[in-house]
Amino acid sequence: MDTRRLRFFITIVDTGSITRAADLLHIAQPALSQQLATLEDHFRKKLLIRGHQGVTMTEAGKILYRHAQVVLRQLEQAQAEVLTDGEFLSGRVVVGLVPFSSAGTLSVDLIREARARFPGILLEVTESVSQPYSQMIMNGRLDMALIHGAGPIKGVHFEQVLHEEFFLVARRDMLAELPEDGPLAVSNLADLPFILPPAYNFVRRAIDIAFMRSKTDLKVIAEIDAVRTLTSAVQSGLGVTIVPYAVAQRIMGENSPVAVRKITNPAIGEALSLCTAEHSPLSEPAVAIKELLLELTGTLLKEKAQLPG
């Protein structure tokens, strides 16, 4: 098996098009199509279906895509260890940190500590929302991820780190009609204009469930999947939001007119879990990064104990 064909196959799937993959790989499209045909002949299975909107994987293609990621990562790891004669940990480790969570605050600390302790490890940190992290773990594109939810998801091992509580964040002038002190019940929030993550986001799902249980209307005026844009929107008074406290602090900033209020009846929150592939063992560098990540999440537990009541 020529591993180049596996790389070609992954690139075609990731770009969604043989034409785009050929441009990216600097290969003529007919030549790339022939490489795909050779791969399908080898497995005696149709791997991709071509359509007007690009290519989609067959069930056999999905299986190959998952295994190809693992195989190529293992080859990359083997090369890194051979070059260093195994004298120190080396290789690439890819970590996903879900943006709308406390996990997003760990990025810089994780990179700094990994660089100090394991200089031979190339750490890649992603905070993408384009594809579910659980799927990226199963496909071998991520070694591990801190994500919202406690599972179960077939093929993914969940290790719950903490339970995040969500808070209301708004300019103070937008809360003028509400009680000034103490927590706010969900029923108090019916008339507020909300800017929230899209419906597929776990933070949004927890919010929707809380409003539904309290039989309170949720007035959503916009959906934003980027924390930086959400911060600008809330600070400018376009609307209010509900997010984990670590994200609320980023929105509030210094000398800001933004207030953070606790929510009750019901409280809103979600589990934060460290996830890895259930049936694919981590490489030694990935194990080291996992232990470091668990160490850093210990700081989140300490911060949780200091949350406003």
Side-chain angles (χ1 to χ4, degrees):
M1 167 62 68
D2 187 342
T3 56
R4 291 183 307 162
R5 294 195 182 104
L6 295 180
R7 295 185 188 278
F8 295 161
F9 177 71
I10 288 173
T11 304
I12 294 171
V13 173
D14 288 346
T15 58
S17 163
I18 293 178
T19 301
R20 286 194 291 270
D23 289 340
L24 186 63
L25 294 166
H26 304 292
I27 298 173
Q29 182 178 336
L32 185 57
S33 296
Q34 182 57 50
Q35 293 286 351
L36 175 60
T38 301
L39 198 60
E40 291 180 325
D41 287 343
H42 175 85
F43 287 103
R44 299 178 183 178
K45 289 281 188 177
K46 189 73 173 176
L47 300 173
L48 297 176
I49 299 173
R50 304 191 197 197
H52 295 298
Q53 302 300 320
V55 298
T56 57
M57 288 183 287
T58 63
E59 289 303 313
K62 292 176 182 178
I63 294 171
L64 178 61
Y65 182 84
R66 182 174 70 251
H67 285 287
Q69 293 278 4
V70 174
V71 168
L72 293 178
R73 293 284 295 282
Q74 288 177 335
L75 286 174
E76 182 180 343
Q77 181 62 37
Q79 182 178 16
E81 291 184 18
V82 168
L83 290 174
T84 62
D85 293 325
E87 293 181 0
F88 54 86
L89 292 176
S90 60
R92 179 188 297 269
V93 178
V94 188
V95 179
L97 300 176
V98 65
F100 278 87
S101 76
S102 301
T105 66
L106 297 178
S107 304
V108 175
D109 289 339
L110 179 61
I111 295 171
R112 181 186 297 114
E113 288 299 315
R115 180 62 180 164
R117 302 186 196 185
F118 314 111
I121 295 178
L122 176 59
L123 181 62
E124 179 181 339
V125 178
T126 178
E127 297 182 14
S128 171
V129 294
S130 61
Q131 186 177 5
Y133 283 167
S134 57
Q135 184 177 339
M136 295 174 72
I137 288 172
M138 287 186 286
N139 287 340
R141 297 179 65 182
L142 290 178
D143 290 293
M144 67 199 75
L146 273 174
I147 67 175
H148 279 129
I153 296 177
K154 185 178 180 180
V156 180
H157 173 70
F158 283 77
E159 185 175 346
Q160 186 170 335
V161 176
L162 57 84
H163 189 275
E164 285 197 302
E165 187 175 0
F166 301 164
F167 290 75
L168 176 72
V169 189
R171 283 178 60 103
R172 293 182 180 85
D173 54 5
M174 299 192 72
L175 304 178
E177 303 299 322
L178 298 179
E180 294 184 6
D181 300 314
L184 295 170
V186 170
S187 58
N188 294 139
L189 312 180
D191 295 328
L192 295 176
F194 277 93
I195 303 174
L196 298 174
Y200 59 77
N201 186 287
F202 271 90
V203 172
R204 174 62 180 277
R205 292 180 189 178
I207 295 168
D208 288 344
I209 290 171
F211 273 75
M212 181 180 65
R213 288 177 177 172
S214 67
K215 298 181 180 179
T216 302
D217 290 334
L218 177 61
K219 182 181 178 183
V220 180
I221 63 167
E223 294 180 338
I224 296 175
D225 64 3
V227 174
R228 179 178 295 181
T229 306
L230 179 65
T231 297
S232 298
V234 173
Q235 288 181 347
S236 66
L238 288 177
V240 307
T241 195
I242 295 175
V243 291
Y245 191 71
V247 181
Q249 287 182 306
R250 292 169 64 182
I251 296 175
M252 185 166 53
E254 297 181 3
N255 302 318
S256 170
V258 173
V260 177
R261 300 289 297 275
K262 186 179 179 68
I263 301 172
T264 59
N265 299 325
I268 308 177
E270 182 57 89
L272 186 67
S273 299
L274 178 59
C275 296
T276 54
E278 197 168 38
H279 303 298
S280 299
L282 294 174
S283 65
E284 286 188 48
V287 170
I289 295 299
K290 178 186 175 183
E291 292 174 353
L292 174 57
L293 191 54
L294 285 172
E295 178 185 324
L296 292 175
T297 55
T299 63
L300 301 180
L301 289 169
K302 294 178 182 179
E303 292 172 1
K304 181 183 177 183
Q306 301 172 356
L307 293 181

